[in-house]
């Protein structure tokens, strides 16, 4: 495969101004908790999307998805959700730039000439080539990586002065509006803010965050990919979000001082809720508490205790939150009594995708082999295995700001 910069010049007959790389993410613990204003502990990984970008003057966005061999052209204005899924992650963030011109002007602290020129330039459109190695639908946030790569590139190309947090929030809104997934902030946040060998504790209410060194020593983070993506994943995701909002509202009616799930006790959940809404909210309250304890384990270097909590999270996601599937449950159960596996659980939105495992380095190969055989025998499917490293977040690979 040609480097992305060459792909760009072959395609567009001019050189890209810059190349941006944006990673996928793992999440150690704190699942389905970002949109419930709890705490999450993600990290950026060594799988990424790369984009090469350059300005245009014809008022259009020319997009090439190299891996798919597809080219799509869309006018810059009146952007609407597109029939081709990947296009939405690009035009969704462009739409966000238009919607946030006021805060961009604000960031430029009143330099009106500068702002007028930026707006003018931006209206001219751009060309973009994308390629990457994040497996699609594996729960590693390829869509967030693409949104962040594009937004970061636009920010550089047009000197928009957006902060990483502003970009994360804009990418999240783009996903809501253009992909219809009412996701939380975690994926975009992690892709943009990742640091090498560090996990990031994000408080999804205040948006404060803290980096934690991940000293795994003899252990590796290994992802086992079921290679299935449930067709209902995004509608079920949106339903979970609604069920939690419903539960929170019921509790708030009885306890008006409650603002978010982190103010709620298990006793209050027991007292106010029933059936599915009860199950969902019980999981959320437990998971918020679990993440806070897990971070203490991490700070003490007690990875045994940390790993145990990952198994507990899986149990909650599977039996209370009901976002797992037989394939994920099998992969977690198969390692649950293995002394070389500290922790394992399903990761991300669920209904397919990957499990995340902390496994002793010397045992990874054997466990992966065993698991692939079990998976094949019981589910008649191939298992994909990714041994991951923790890498830096979205950044420029080549080039700087060019073009005045
Ligand atoms: C998906 C969403 F996009 C995230 O916001 C998060 O809710 C995650 O599922 C579950 O923790 O990746």
């Amino acid at each position: 495969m040609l480097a992305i910069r060459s792909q760009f010049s072959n395609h567009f007959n001019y050189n890209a101004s810059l190349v941006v790389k944006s990673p996928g993410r793992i999440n150690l613990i704190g699942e389905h908790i970002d949109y419930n204003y709890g705490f999450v502990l993600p990290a950026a990984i060594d799988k990424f999307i790369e984009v090469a970008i350059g300005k245009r003057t014809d008022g259009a966005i020319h997009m090439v998805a190299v891996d798919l061999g597809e080219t799509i052209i869309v006018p810059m204005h009146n952007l609407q959700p597109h029939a081709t899924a990947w296009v939405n992650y690009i035009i969704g963030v462009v739409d966000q730039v238009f919607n946030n011109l006021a805060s961009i002007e604000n960031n430029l602290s009143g330099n009106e000439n500068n702002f007028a020129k930026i707006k003018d330039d931006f209206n001219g459109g751009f060309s973009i080539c994308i390629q990457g190695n994040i497996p699609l639908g594996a729960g590693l946030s390829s869509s967030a990586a693409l949104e962040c790569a594009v937004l970061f590139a636009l920010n550089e190309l047009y000197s928009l002065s957006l902060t990483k947090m502003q970009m994360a929030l804009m990418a999240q809104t783009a996903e809501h509006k253009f992909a219809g997934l009412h996701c939380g902030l975690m994926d975009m946040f992690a892709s943009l803010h990742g640091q090498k060998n560090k996990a990031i504790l994000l408080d999804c209410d205040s948006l404060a965050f803290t980096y934690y060194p991940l000293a795994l020593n003899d252990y590796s983070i290994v992802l086992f990919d079921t290679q299935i993506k449930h067709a209902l994943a995004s509608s079920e995701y949106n339903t979970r979000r609604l069920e939690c909002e419903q539960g929170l509202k019921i509790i708030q009616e009885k306890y008006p001082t409650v603002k978010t799930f982190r103010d709620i006790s298990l006793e209050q959940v027991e007292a106010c809720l029933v059936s599915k809404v009860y199950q969902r909210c019980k999981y959320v309250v437990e998971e918020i508490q679990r993440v806070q304890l897990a971070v203490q384990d991490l700070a003490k270097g007690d990875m045994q205790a940390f790993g145990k909590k990952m198994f507990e999270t899986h149990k909650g996601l599977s039996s209370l939150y009901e976002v797992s599937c037989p394939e994920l449950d099998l992969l977690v159960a198969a390692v649950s009594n293995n002394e070389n596996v500290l922790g394992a659980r399903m990761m991300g939105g669920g209904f397919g995708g990957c499990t995340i495992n902390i496994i002793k380095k010397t045992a990874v190969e054997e466990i992966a082999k065993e698991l692939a055989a079990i998976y094949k025998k019981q589910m008649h499917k191939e298992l994909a295995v990714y041994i991951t490293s923790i890498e830096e977040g979205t950044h420029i690979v080549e080039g700087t700001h060019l073009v005045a």
Side-chain angles (χ1 to χ4, degrees):
M1 184 70 78
L2 274 180
I4 191 83
R5 195 175 264 287
S6 311
Q7 297 278 2
F8 185 99
S9 35
N10 287 353
H11 226 93
F12 295 113
N13 284 321
Y14 69 105
N15 289 332
S17 297
L18 71 150
V19 173
V20 168
K21 195 168 172 173
S22 196
R25 62 101 191 89
I26 53 163
N27 182 26
L28 289 161
I29 198 158
E31 213 64 271
H32 283 273
I33 287 299
D34 53 355
Y35 57 85
N36 285 312
Y37 302 101
F39 304 89
V40 293
L41 192 61
I45 57 170
D46 55 338
K47 297 204 176 292
F48 54 84
I49 300 263
E50 257 184 336
V51 303
I53 195 165
K55 290 181 184 176
R56 302 185 65 88
T57 52
D58 62 354
I61 312 167
H62 293 233
M63 299 165 266
V64 180
V66 174
D67 305 320
L68 305 175
E70 288 176 12
T71 301
I72 302 234
I73 302 172
V74 168
M76 279 292 274
H77 291 281
N78 297 322
L79 293 167
Q80 300 297 332
H82 198 275
T84 305
W86 62 267
V87 169
N88 286 311
Y89 302 116
I90 301 175
I91 62 176
V93 297
V94 174
D95 176 66
Q96 277 302 294
V97 172
F98 281 121
N99 282 311
N100 284 275
L101 284 175
S103 32
I104 292 169
E105 188 172 15
N106 210 19
N107 284 356
L108 292 167
S109 52
N111 185 338
E112 275 165 32
N113 290 338
N114 207 358
F115 180 64
K117 179 171 177 344
I118 286 173
K119 241 174 46 181
D120 214 43
D121 246 20
F122 186 64
N123 282 325
F126 60 93
S127 307
I128 189 163
C129 269
I130 60 178
Q131 69 182 17
N133 62 4
I134 307 178
L136 302 181
L140 303 179
S141 295
S142 55
S143 53
L146 176 54
E147 288 155 347
C148 294
V150 176
L151 198 44
F152 194 95
L154 293 174
N155 189 45
E156 280 296 314
L157 193 63
Y158 297 101
S159 305
L160 303 178
S161 303
L162 294 164
T163 64
K164 285 185 184 174
M165 193 57 94
Q166 282 175 321
M167 288 191 256
L169 291 162
M170 286 162 71
Q172 182 194 16
T173 310
E175 180 109 13
H176 292 189
K177 279 178 71 179
F178 280 73
L181 184 76
H182 296 151
C183 61
L185 187 64
M186 173 173 75
D187 301 353
M188 299 80 188
F189 165 83
S191 189
L192 284 159
H193 292 83
Q195 280 189 7
K196 187 147 181 74
N197 293 330
K198 288 184 187 152
I200 326 168
L201 178 71
L202 172 66
D203 176 332
C204 300
D205 189 22
S206 71
L207 303 188
F209 56 94
T210 316
Y211 288 94
Y212 282 82
L214 253 189
L216 288 169
N217 305 320
D218 297 341
Y219 289 84
S220 290
I221 293 179
V222 183
L223 307 175
F224 293 125
D225 184 355
T226 59
Q227 308 221 63
I228 56 162
K229 189 168 163 54
H230 199 288
L232 291 175
S234 59
S235 65
E236 286 293 324
Y237 183 97
N238 292 346
T239 305
R240 292 299 173 281
R241 196 175 172 149
L242 288 173
E243 286 166 338
C244 291
E245 283 167 14
Q246 207 184 326
L248 180 62
K249 213 167 146 227
I250 295 172
I251 295 178
Q252 282 170 332
E253 274 159 20
K254 186 143 184 218
Y255 302 97
T257 55
V258 164
K259 272 172 58 198
T260 68
F261 274 103
R262 65 175 77 177
D263 308 320
I264 296 175
S265 66
L266 281 176
E267 291 71 31
Q268 289 170 324
V269 174
E270 304 277 348
C272 300
L273 305 175
V274 290
S275 66
K276 294 289 179 205
V277 171
Y278 161 76
Q279 283 181 224
R280 310 306 185 229
C281 296
K282 180 172 196 280
Y283 165 76
V284 171
V285 169
E286 286 177 347
E287 181 74 348
I288 288 177
Q289 290 172 3
R290 197 155 38 227
V291 178
Q292 293 173 89
L293 295 173
V295 171
Q296 290 174 20
D297 297 337
L298 192 63
K300 282 188 281 188
D302 187 350
M303 293 312 286
Q304 296 270 357
F306 188 95
K308 269 196 187 147
K309 295 189 177 64
M310 291 171 70
F311 282 116
E312 287 166 19
T313 294
H314 184 78
K315 216 168 146 207
L317 287 167
S318 181
S319 61
L320 293 173
Y321 217 66
E322 297 181 297
V323 289
S324 187
C325 62
E327 289 83 352
L328 288 166
D329 289 343
L330 171 70
L331 294 177
V332 173
V335 296
S336 62
N337 289 320
N338 190 316
E339 60 178 13
N340 290 315
V341 180
L342 293 184
R345 63 177 194 82
M346 59 147 281
M347 187 182 74
F351 303 103
C354 293
T355 63
I356 175 170
N357 304 259
I358 303 183
I359 304 183
K360 196 157 205 175
K361 282 190 176 131
T362 49
V364 170
E365 202 182 319
E366 198 190 319
I367 292 176
K369 226 165 112 189
E370 263 174 36
L371 227 58
I374 295 173
Y375 194 59
K376 180 92 187 181
K377 188 160 174 232
Q378 296 197 29
M379 298 293 168
H380 312 290
K381 292 184 183 96
E382 299 299 325
L383 185 72
V385 180
Y386 318 121
I387 301 169
T388 49
S389 60
I390 306 303
E391 300 295 336
E392 102 182 86
T394 315
H395 59 279
I396 295 176
V397 179
E398 307 163 47
T400 47
H401 330 214
L402 307 169
V403 255

